[in-house]
Amino acid sequence: MTLAIRTHPNTNTTTKMPFQQQKIAAASQFLLASPPGELNDVFNDIASLVNDDTAVLNALEPAFEKYNLEQYVTVKLPLPGGEGEGLSLVSEWNRVAGEEGRFVDPRVGKTFVFDHVKGKASDVQPYDEDLGREWEELNTGIEAYVNEHFPSEGASGVFKGQAGGSTWNVVIVGNKYNPSNYWNGRWRSSYTFDSTSGTLTGTIRVTVHYYEDGNVSLSTTHSISSTPSSPSTLAKTIAAEEKRYQEELNKAFGGLSEGPFKGLRRQLPVTRQRVDWEKAGVYRIGQDVGNARR
């Protein structure tokens, strides 16, 4: 497991690059480093920084696309039978070959064009390819797992491997946005399963942004290699691996809060009350400290 605290993106650019290209490169790096659920906020900040320079803002479309594909963003599509809407994934795994900007969701039997800048789907078309019994078995298990553990903002997809044959790609994403309490988070996992050899490899990525009276981004990456006995046990294997990793994260966070983070600063001042920094100028610090000691 790798654990890193990122405070700002790397915006280093070559000094030989023209100034306009430097601005585009820096803006793209900021956009790619956007925390979960805050892509539009970062874009608006960039627009302010460049004084709404349309040449710079229009050049950010490739960064939008890269971000959406890497983050497995979700978009709402109508469910079969008119039963409301469901979340469909946007990722490298479910791109439709030869059709720019089009993605497929075999769960709902639809393909759609996704606007990476606006974050919206359009030109929804039916998709009726029969992926076979093996896909149904895999998808049923994965959907049940996601519905149980990511009930509000979770989505999944099982897609035919690009190499064809017996290879399947499994993508899972769970979003949790809580801006009123100054934090947002995203769980991303992707797997490649070969049903012939029974091998499973994958990566779990977790990103959390906390920004109350500060700005801290937590990013973790964990690799997985396992051997499910059959497609029917794939979901159970993934569930066990992800549960194990979540428990590791819980232990790591507990160690941080009781160790390095606790040593960074006093949890409460001597008065045992939080300081309202906006009113710091009117505090009688010396008298308050003296009273606290008495």
Side-chain angles (χ1 to χ4, degrees), residues 199-229:
T199 57
L200 175 72
T201 56
T203 304
I204 300 173
R205 296 180 178 87
V206 182
T207 305
V208 178
H209 182 219
Y210 179 76
Y211 51 99
E212 181 180 16
D213 297 331
N215 184 22
V216 177
S217 178
L218 178 69
S219 178
T220 73
T221 302
H222 178 68
S223 298
I224 285 176
S225 180
S226 185
T227 53
S229 59

Side-chain angles (χ1 to χ4, degrees), residues 3 46 52 69 106 142 156 166 174 183 190 197 221 244 284 293:
L3 186 66
I46 292 172
D52 293 318
L69 294 175
I142 295 298
S156 64
S166 58
W183 64 265
S190 59
S197 62
T221 302
R244 187 179 299 113
R284 297 172 299 175
R293 287 177 176 172

Side-chain angles (χ1 to χ4, degrees), residues 184-203:
N184 296 300
R186 175 172 293 139
W187 175 291
R188 289 175 290 154
S189 51
S190 59
Y191 304 92
T192 298
F193 174 62
D194 190 325
S195 59
T196 300
S197 62
T199 57
L200 175 72
T201 56
T203 304

Side-chain angles (χ1 to χ4, degrees), residues 135-155:
W135 175 85
E136 292 183 4
E137 194 173 19
L138 292 170
N139 184 69
T140 299
I142 295 298
E143 272 198 303
Y145 165 69
V146 171
N147 290 337
E148 179 180 359
H149 294 279
F150 306 93
S152 58
E153 290 290 334

